[in-house]
């Protein structure tokens, strides 16, 4: 089925504003729908909440930076902060859950 307009708008917004962490209320406002409607529609079509999608998108971007030779980031914390993660311990937990290894391991593999 076609992706609802509100989901497309929020995905585009999240990818454009990925270094910040907008609230669900802000995302609902951008999409022109209620918070409840946005969360329900997102879960049905994406399988995640809007903030879960944003976190996953940012985690994928960090992973891309940490695995790409020539990336401008030389430390995990520098890269994580660039992508809007301010609590590094929580970031590491989310990263390890998503990719099966700590971000420091990913970076070491790139640099070896």
């Amino acid at each position: 089925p076609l992706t609802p307009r509100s989901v497309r708008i929020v995905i585009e917004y999240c990818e454009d504003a990925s270094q910040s962490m907008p609230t669900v209320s802000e995302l609902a406002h951008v999409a022109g729908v209620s918070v409840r409607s946005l969360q329900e529609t997102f879960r049905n079509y994406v399988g995640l909440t809007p903030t879960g999608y944003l976190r996953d998108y940012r985690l994928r971007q960090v992973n891309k930076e940490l695995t790409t030779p020539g990336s401008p980031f030389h430390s995990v914390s520098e890269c994580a902060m660039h992508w809007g993660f301010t609590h590094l311990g929580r970031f590491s937990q989310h990263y390890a859950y998503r990719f099966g290894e700590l971000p420091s391991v990913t970076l070491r593999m790139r640099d070896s």
Side-chain angles (χ1 to χ4, degrees):
L2 292 175
T3 305
R5 181 178 179 274
S6 60
V7 172
R8 288 192 319 267
I9 288 170
V10 169
I11 286 174
E12 185 178 311
Y13 181 82
C14 286
E15 291 176 3
D16 289 344
S18 58
Q19 281 113 0
S20 64
M21 189 63 174
T23 65
V24 178
S25 297
E26 291 169 334
L27 294 175
H29 178 74
V30 166
V33 297
S34 71
V35 169
R36 185 180 202 119
S37 173
L38 180 64
Q39 289 177 321
E40 185 176 316
T41 305
F42 236 83
R43 274 193 211 104
N44 289 337
Y45 285 87
V46 180
L48 297 167
T49 64
T51 54
Y53 174 82
L54 177 58
R55 179 177 47 243
D56 187 69
Y57 175 78
R58 294 182 312 148
L59 285 168
R60 286 183 279 130
Q61 296 308 305
V62 169
N63 178 262
K64 190 162 120 181
E65 297 282 1
L66 295 180
T67 57
T68 302
S71 170
F73 300 106
H74 300 289
S75 74
V76 170
S77 58
E78 178 186 15
C79 187
M81 296 295 269
H82 173 78
W83 285 102
F85 293 101
T86 55
H87 191 290
L88 297 178
R90 200 171 303 135
F91 157 74
S92 277
Q93 288 175 329
H94 287 298
Y95 186 96
Y97 180 79
R98 175 69 168 80
F99 297 105
E101 65 186 16
L102 292 172
S104 58
V105 172
T106 304
L107 181 62
R108 258 186 303 218
M109 288 171 54
R110 177 192 81 183
D111 292 342
S112 61

